[in-house]
DNA sequence: CTTTTCATGTAACAAGTTACATGATTTG
DNA sequence: CAAATCATGTAACTTGTTACATGAAAAG
């Protein structure tokens, strides 16, 4: 259901073809939502069928330019403030839960990799924050706020993984990997 | 694919029936991964078919007790360290991206609700952190580390939403909601 | 004239949700 | 004996991914 609104939102900012949207998904929205080509074209046809967007012109190579309709804008406005019970699903944390089943060295490696990955993400996003020529438009303002979330999330994750490594050192000496009751 | 390993991981910690696992999903793992009854029973049959778990006894009301096999443990160990290209998909941030399409008051309300929601989550998880009688076992140690992630994530999100409200105050006065070019 | 880019679609599959369906055992 | 809990499953649907299929137009 979310892709529907992601596409609608992009068309609200600016009309375009499926192909255009696909690139905008990668560029401006890539850090927030992703879509495959297949899924997007299917959804655009559904959105048009529901009257939330419409084909405004057909160009070369069968290019169909879509624009959002008034009904579409209304649907988008309603969706933005809809309460969302975010299904909890975090693969990284799921793996953390399983760490008791692997040798301690593998657990350490897991957190070391997390630190490294977070630092890469952090560097990338901080680069973006500096390099992008932010305009004074509403979409750029909110794009910047979304990016700030990414920076803070990456930084939090790095700190957490580093803290976890410390925890392993602190009480890891006293406990084995299958059970915590003292072994020696 | 992840549910497979979530189930496998729970059975690695302790054998049990589908019904047992369902409760353990809600209790110990509920903040990390969720599963519907339907999905879980289907997956347990598949896991048994693949030899990663086995039925160790059949009790009253057709209750089947499952236990992990050696092949299952090996599969779990391999999965834990598997690199994961985490598809980026964050509904909250997707909504942030769309905030330029709604009136400024609705945008403010969005961040205010985010602050409130994060604070509720934070209070709940901090309560858990204090109330749970953490044992010295490996699973509890990693459970605590996972919980710590939740606390830090909620706290980060609250701070971010508060910062965003400040940003809206700072430059919100100069820009309208459809475009940023000066209006007055 | 060949390669790249533009441009759209369908089919098969995997993962997950909701609803439906059934029945045994324990508890009050 | 009625209600709650235990216990397992199937069917229909939605969402998302991978792979397949096609072809026009622009660029070198």
């Amino acid at each position: 259901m979310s892709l529907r609104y992601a596409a609608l939102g992009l068309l609200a900012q600016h009309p375009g073809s499926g192909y255009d949207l696909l690139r905008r998904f990668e560029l401006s929205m890539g850090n927030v939502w992703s879509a495959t080509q297949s899924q997007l074209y299917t959804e655009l046809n559904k959105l048009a069928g529901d009257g939330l967007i419409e084909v405004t012109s057909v160009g070369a190579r069968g290019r169909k330019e879509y624009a959002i309709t008034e009904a579409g804008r209304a649907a988008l406005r309603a969706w933005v403030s809809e309460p969302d019970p975010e299904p909890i699903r975090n693969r990284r944390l799921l793996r953390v839960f399983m760490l008791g089943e692997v040798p301690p060295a593998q657990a350490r490696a897991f957190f070391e990799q997390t630190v490294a990955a977070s630092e890469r993400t952090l560097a990338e996003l901080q680069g973006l924050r500096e390099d992008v020529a932010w305009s004074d438009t509403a979409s750029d303002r909110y794009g910047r706020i979304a990016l700030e979330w990414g920076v803070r999330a990456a930084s939090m994750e790095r700190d957490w993984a580093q803290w976890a490594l410390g925890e392993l050192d602190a009480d890891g000496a006293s406990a084995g990997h299958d059970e915590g009751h003292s072994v020696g």
Side-chain angles (χ1 to χ4, degrees), chain A residues 7-114:
Chain A
L8 211 48
L10 286 180
L11 287 177
Q13 286 169 8
H14 201 77
S17 67
Y19 194 86
D20 292 339
L21 290 192
L22 218 57
R23 276 173 309 171
R24 288 165 67 191
F25 257 107
E26 279 164 30
L27 290 170
S28 79
M29 209 183 265
N31 289 303
V32 162
W33 206 263
S34 66
T36 59
Q37 172 261 16
S38 165
Q39 204 189 353
L40 182 57
Y41 281 111
T42 308
E43 193 60 50
L44 285 174
N45 281 324
K46 280 191 207 162
L47 278 165
D50 294 345
L52 303 187
I53 63 175
E54 59 187 359
V55 177
T56 51
S57 74
V58 178
R61 283 169 282 193
R63 178 177 188 276
K64 291 191 271 184
E65 180 149 289
Y66 291 101
I68 193 167
T69 63
E70 250 324 299
R73 282 192 193 277
L76 187 60
R77 277 194 298 270
W79 175 80
V80 167
S81 292
E82 208 171 77
D84 187 1
E86 290 281 349
I88 316 120
R89 216 157 252 163
N90 186 320
R91 283 187 209 206
R92 179 111 61 194
L93 285 190
L94 182 56
R95 285 187 161 90
V96 171
F97 251 81
M98 305 304 154
L99 249 26
E101 307 306 319
V102 307
Q106 202 182 336
R108 277 202 71 85
F110 175 89
F111 290 112
E112 279 158 7
Q113 280 158 27
T114 301

Side-chain angles (χ1 to χ4, degrees), chain A residues 138-155:
Chain A
S139 29
D140 266 26
R141 181 159 54 252
Y142 293 111
R144 244 181 52 239
I145 292 179
L147 179 57
E148 178 69 21
W149 186 94
V151 169
R152 289 173 184 232
S155 158

